[in-house]
Amino acid sequence: MVRLENVSKYYADFLAVDGVTLEIREGETVALIGSSGSGKTTILKCINALITRSSGEISVFDKPLDEWDPVELRRKMGYVIQDVGLFPHYTIEKNISLIPELLGWEHSDIQTRVDILLERIHIPGSMKKRYPSALSGGQKQRVGLARALAADPPIILMDEPFGALDPIIRADMQREFLALEGLQGKSIVLVTHDMNEAAILADRICLLDKGVIQQTGTLKELLFKPANEFVQRFLDPQRDSLEMRAVRIKDIMPFIPQELRSRILITEASVADVPSELIPEIRKYYFINRDSILVNFRTDEI
Ligand SMILES: Nc1ncnc2c1ncn2[C@@H]1O[C@H](COP(=O)(O)OP(=O)(O)OP(=O)(O)O)[C@@H](O)[C@H]1O
C-alpha cells in the first residue's frame, strides 16, 4: 500500500532519516515511535510529499510517489496533526468540507458527508456553524480527524494526534479511535512518543533512533525478541504495562484458579483490558507465574 525503500532525508548536511525501509500494508496501523528528533515527522511528510526525500524510493499503491498527481495523492491520504490545524476563520462545517470541495464534489454530497461525519465523531449537528475556538481540545481533535476522513481516503497519516490532550481525554480518544466507523480497514501511519499509545492502537510498531529504524514488529516481538539493546531499554520503563497489553487472558488461563476463570468472559482480550475489578487478582497470578507464561513468547511462536 505504502512502501519506503532505503529512504533518507537530509536537512542541509544533517541526516534526519537514514535508510528507512518500511511497508504499511492494507488495513494495518503502523506506529512510528522514537524519542524527539528521531525522524518520525520527517518520514510522514516524505510519505505525503510535503517534503521531498533526499534518496530512496516511496511508492503508494505500487506507483512511485513522483508519478502521482498531487491532488490525486491528497485524495488517497488523510493527514491529522497534533495541533489539529483547523482553520480558525472557517466554521467546523467548512473545515471538514475543504478536501471534498477541492475535489469538486457536489454541494449536496458535501453537506451529507459532513453530517455523517459529525454524527460519527459525536459532535451535534447544531455545532457545525461554530468556529474552532468554540470547541474543547477533544472536540477539535475529533473535527481534525473528521476532516482527514472527509473524502474517505484509504490511507491516514497521523502525527501525534492525541499529543495535546490531557491524559483522561487522551485515553477516551484512543478508545473512540479504535471503535470509529470510518477508520476500520484503513492503512494508518501513527506518529507517537507514547509506547502505551502505540501498544493500544498499532498492529505493528516501528521504533526509530536518530533517523534509523531499530526494529519493526508487533508489540510481542519488540518486548520478547528485541533486535538490540536500544529496543530493550526503550521498552523497559513501561515493560509491566506493555506485557499486560501483549499477553492475552487465554495465555494465562492455565495459571489462574477455576473460581476466577469462571468470572472472565472474554479470553481473547489482553490482560490490560479485563474489567477493572478483576485486574488486581489477575495481575497477582500473572506476576507469580510470569516466567512460565512468558516462556512461549520467547520461543519462535511469536
Ligand atoms: N526543516 C528542517 N530543517 C532542519 N532540520 C530539521 C527540519 N525539520 C526537522 N529537522 C531536524 O530533523 C530531525 C528529525 O526531525 P523530526 O521532526 O522528523 O523528528 P521527530 O521524531 O518527529 O521529533 P518530535 O518527536 O520532536 O516531533 C530533528 O533533529 C530536527 O531538528
Side-chain angles (χ1 to χ4, degrees):
M1 198 117 205
V2 177
R3 195 172 295 133
L4 291 85
E5 191 77 45
N6 207 16
V7 169
S8 296
K9 172 66 186 174
Y10 281 90
Y11 292 112
D13 58 358
F14 175 72
L15 182 56
V17 170
D18 184 359
V20 161
T21 295
L22 177 67
E23 186 180 356
I24 297 100
R25 304 174 196 135
E26 189 176 344
E28 78 167 341
T29 299
V30 174
L32 299 180
I33 186 162
S35 46
S36 186
S38 54
K40 308 179 291 292
T41 297
T42 300
I43 292 174
L44 215 59
K45 288 181 174 169
C46 286
I47 293 175
N48 75 352
L50 267 181
I51 58 175
T52 310
R53 67 201 181 279
S54 306
S55 60
E57 292 305 325
I58 300 179
S59 61
V60 176
F61 287 106
D62 289 326
K63 181 159 133 181
L65 204 59
D66 311 329
E67 292 177 17
W68 277 91
D69 167 65
V71 173
E72 202 34 43
L73 191 68
R74 290 283 168 279
R75 162 78 186 79
K76 294 279 186 260
M77 290 185 195
Y79 191 38
V80 189
I81 52 177
Q82 176 176 5
D83 58 8
V84 189
L86 297 179
F87 292 106
H89 52 290
Y90 285 165
T91 61
I92 307 307
E93 179 179 36
K94 177 78 176 165
N95 265 286
I96 298 175
S97 307
L98 285 172
I99 301 277
E101 279 177 6
L102 184 74
L103 295 169
W105 287 23
E106 293 287 334
H107 182 69
S108 58
D109 291 343
I110 296 178
Q111 298 292 102
T112 309
R113 184 72 182 147
V114 168
D115 291 341
I116 289 173
L117 284 165
L118 285 174
E119 197 183 324
R120 279 192 191 158
I121 60 168
H122 310 299
I123 295 213
S126 57
M127 288 171 80
K128 68 183 174 188
K129 300 286 183 204
R130 285 197 193 176
Y131 290 87
S133 58
L135 298 183
S136 71
Q139 288 171 331
K140 279 189 219 165
Q141 210 68 42
R142 294 206 285 269
V143 173
L145 190 55
R147 186 178 60 180
L149 291 171
D152 201 19
I155 300 162
I156 305 278
L157 309 177
M158 310 181 96
D159 197 344
E160 296 271 5
F162 313 117
L165 303 176
D166 73 53
I168 294 176
I169 297 180
R170 192 180 170 116
D172 281 350
M173 283 292 295
Q174 289 168 347
R175 262 192 298 277
E176 282 185 23
F177 175 90
L178 283 175
L180 194 71
E181 193 193 333
L183 275 180
Q184 316 299 331
K186 301 223 181 275
S187 301
I188 300 171
V189 189
L190 170 81
V191 165
T192 176
H193 279 100
D194 178 353
M195 194 60 206
N196 268 314
E197 182 165 292
I200 292 168
L201 301 181
D203 300 305
R204 290 190 303 143
I205 296 168
C206 173
L207 176 54
L208 291 142
D209 182 41
K210 299 189 187 79
V212 179
I213 292 183
Q214 301 298 313
Q215 186 167 1
T216 306
T218 60
L219 175 63
K220 272 187 187 164
E221 286 167 338
L222 269 67
L223 275 171
F224 304 119
K225 288 189 169 178
N228 56 40
E229 214 187 314
F230 178 88
V231 178
Q232 169 111 23
R233 276 191 285 117
F234 195 90
L235 271 60
D236 269 347
Q238 292 157 294
R239 183 162 292 274
D240 284 353
S241 65
L242 293 171
E243 279 183 10
M244 293 285 170
R245 172 106 355 241
V247 174
R248 293 187 180 272
I249 301 285
K250 64 176 183 200
D251 301 321
I252 71 166
M253 274 301 204
F255 300 94
I256 57 181
Q258 183 60 42
E259 178 273 328
L260 181 55
R261 270 189 235 178
S262 60
R263 289 158 62 197
I264 300 172
L265 303 177
I266 310 166
T267 57
E268 279 301 319
S270 77
V271 173
D273 286 331
V274 293
S276 54
E277 67 273 15
L278 294 176
I279 287 177
E281 286 183 78
I282 290 190
R283 282 182 80 100
K284 185 173 82 188
Y285 291 107
Y286 171 76
F287 282 112
I288 293 171
N289 298 291
R290 184 179 190 161
D291 285 341
S292 315
I293 292 167
L294 294 186
V295 97
N296 287 337
F297 295 130
R298 299 202 181 97
T299 64
D300 285 331
E301 285 180 31
I302 295 178

